[in-house]
Amino acid sequence: MLLATGSSSVLAEESFTVQDIQVEGLQRVALGAALNNLPFTIGDTVTEYSLSRSIKTLYSAGHFDDIRVFRDGNTIIYRLKERPTINSIEFDGNKDIKEEQLNESLAGNRVQVGEPLDKTILKSIENGLTEFYHGVGKYQAKVEAKVTYLPRNRVNLKLEFDEGDAASVRQINIVGNTIFSNEELLNQIESKQDLPWWRFLSSDRYQKQTLQGDFETINSYYLDRGYLQFDITSSQVSVSPDKTAVYVTLNVDEGEQYNIRDVSFVGDLIGQDAVIEAILPLQKGQLYNGALVTYTEESIAKLLARFGYANSKVRTIPQVDEETKEVDLTISVDPGKRVYVRRIEVKGNANTRDEVIRRELRQMEGAWLSNDYLELSKNRIQRLPYIEDISFETMPVTGSDDQVDVLFTMKEQPSGSFNAGISYGSYQGLSFEVGVQQSNFFGTGNSAGISLSTNKYQKSINLSYTDPYYTLDGVSLGGQLFYSDIDYSSASSNLEAYNQRRYGFGANVGYPVNEFNRLNFGANYVVNKINSIQEYDQLRHFRAVLLDEQNPDGGYNFTNYEFSTGWTHSTLNRGLFPTAGRMLNLVLRATTPNSDLQYYKVQFEAQNYIPLSNDHRWSFRSKLELGYGNGYGDKNGYDYTLPFTENFYAGGSNLRGFENRIIGPHAIFRYPGVIPGIPDPVNGGVIFPEDPAGDNYIVSARSIGGNAMGVLTLELITPTPFISDENRNSVRTSLFVDAGNVWDTEFDINRYANLVQDRSASTGRGVQPFLIDYADPSLIRASAGVSLQWISPMGPLTFSLAKIIKKQEGDLQENFSFNIGTTF
């Protein structure tokens, strides 16, 4: 209106009929769009008021910086100056605010690339950002918006930040407290005051939001101890003249302690009176506790939500008796309407079929809305190895107060991998591994894989395929083919030598018992061929059972029919990198009586994750692996034992720092001593075997395994430095301690107590290890170190750096190991 009043032409106050409308100065805005904002058109009668109103309307469109109106007879002329278009937005000097947050905030004010620039809001943006910095203690911060004009009515917008240093909390004063000391109260809050330099891991930086949270913490501290009428009467925050220090004063009224005299209910308990009373933690006569009151309200609301009352309102009304210092608590329960789920939508599963996600859902469409079923559905989906993260939200249905839609939003992670591994050990040299594994085969949720590995002494290949939902009720079916060729005779630093070729196939089926337990059954056909064996003492019993008297040098060929049964219990919150819950796995595998060898193996694994922080960034993990195997029945007067090809081993992945499969009993080679005879000038010297009591023995460098194993891992999972929150589910850093051993409970080591160990024989390592009592469970190995695991866009990477803290002479240890690969 001022612009119109100040124009060089004077508009007549009388009304007139518009014969024509002309618009000048348009560049980007279309003529039709400008005319649509006018409150009149050609042929209408207008007044000065109508013209003033048209100026307001054009300004409100947000496209123009200057609007002038002229009249030439009955023709109205609009001369417009369009607002410049934002060509680019830059930020300089911002550290506390990420560019993504800034862009989002500017977009909310319609300041973004391609939009017209309204310079009138730049000042408010500067002030708003400055206020933000004041809220985080940076009172010296300055924000300046600079506009650079470009041809064709374009501008570059640049926000320059001078954040300055944050003010520190110099002193926090609490006034009015007599029951709890200042030190006790200050220990409860997050804000710290005037920290000395050596406490560099803590921060005394002032932040307004943190201080507000501290007020709530102090309030809760009193309420949880019976001070029902505690009140923070006032608070003052003052800043030093140089704006580098903040002084906080808190005035409190502690009040008196109150005991609970009575607890009663009003409202509709939907027939769950007995259940609610059973879970009620509030009791008559006890000290009032604000945390218990909140817990009671949440527990009742959660119970109601199980029956579809998702919008219930539970609140506690206290009635205070000032004379007796007692309080009557009345819990008001309003369940509201029962809510039903109209539709469930799934979002974010670009590679996974919709049915694969929906078969894990326990919340059904058309059923009551249950928070328990929603959480259970979330946990089941999150346990899938190809889902990195998932969340859900309920959305009210427009026009209905008892229906909602549920949206599950997930973030997938690479479900297939092509990986190559390389490691170097002081004994086995370079080792290579390659494999393709797809746990979400073509989005079906089925797993398929092939793996090949080779090193100095072994080659293996394994193919597998599993359908976890072979039937609709969750019965799984899978199978595998395998082949391995192990040639220990090529290992020059090992005394025992043999070649084993093993191949076969198998199938397995799994049955769900409930949401957390599963039974598994399997069958395998396995053929073993062992030859070129350099026999050691522990092998004599095995040789006696399988020896072919007609062909004593023909090696050992045996075929086994194996059956297995197992139980799995899992409450883990994630399939990959879990942070809470536990997993138990028990497997019994045994050969049938018609097999060439009769034996069994029992293996048990337990993992437990305990979150140490609410965001699960800190967590404690414990893992226990136990194994035992032995034979049953007899043949030719010899009892069956666990064949050496089925022995347990430790080292490598389960005892980091030690070389793979190195922990456990070593092979013993016994040979007789000799006595020199009478010299013979023709045939040379003659020797005679010594009495068996004077036999010598040699101990191999590498473990041959044992029939019993125990390994314990304790791990502290920590936040990974320099990793953003969006990637923390793909990276895991941990500090670990591994300890364990492998034993042979059937071999009598005492037979060698009086024999002499020949430590001069070469093992390829210079010195043999001493023979130790392998049956002693106290002889454990242990290591400690740090581990980093990363599911990167380039593939799975693992790095462990371990320090051996307990070992035996002769133990081999890895120099380093790592894996690289690619995922798809």
Side-chain angles (χ1 to χ4, degrees), residues 259-264 283-285 317 326-330:
N259 291 317
I260 298 176
R261 182 169 60 188
D262 187 33
V263 180
S264 59
Q283 301 296 328
K284 298 179 181 178
I317 306 171
E326 292 179 317
V327 58
D328 296 330
L329 300 179
T330 302

Side-chain angles (χ1 to χ4, degrees), residues 12-34:
E13 294 185 1
E14 69 276 5
S15 62
F16 64 95
T17 302
V18 179
Q19 294 182 350
D20 191 17
I21 300 175
Q22 297 179 8
V23 180
E24 299 176 357
L26 294 179
Q27 298 180 25
R28 181 178 53 86
V29 180
L31 176 61

Side-chain angles (χ1 to χ4, degrees), residues 3 8-9 22-26 58-59 64-70 76-82:
L3 291 172
S8 57
S9 296
Q22 297 179 8
V23 180
E24 299 176 357
L26 294 179
L58 288 173
Y59 266 123
F64 307 106
D65 263 344
D66 186 31
I67 301 173
R68 296 175 181 269
V69 183
F70 300 88
I76 299 177
I77 304 172
Y78 287 89
R79 291 180 181 173
L80 310 177
K81 182 180 179 182
E82 291 185 353

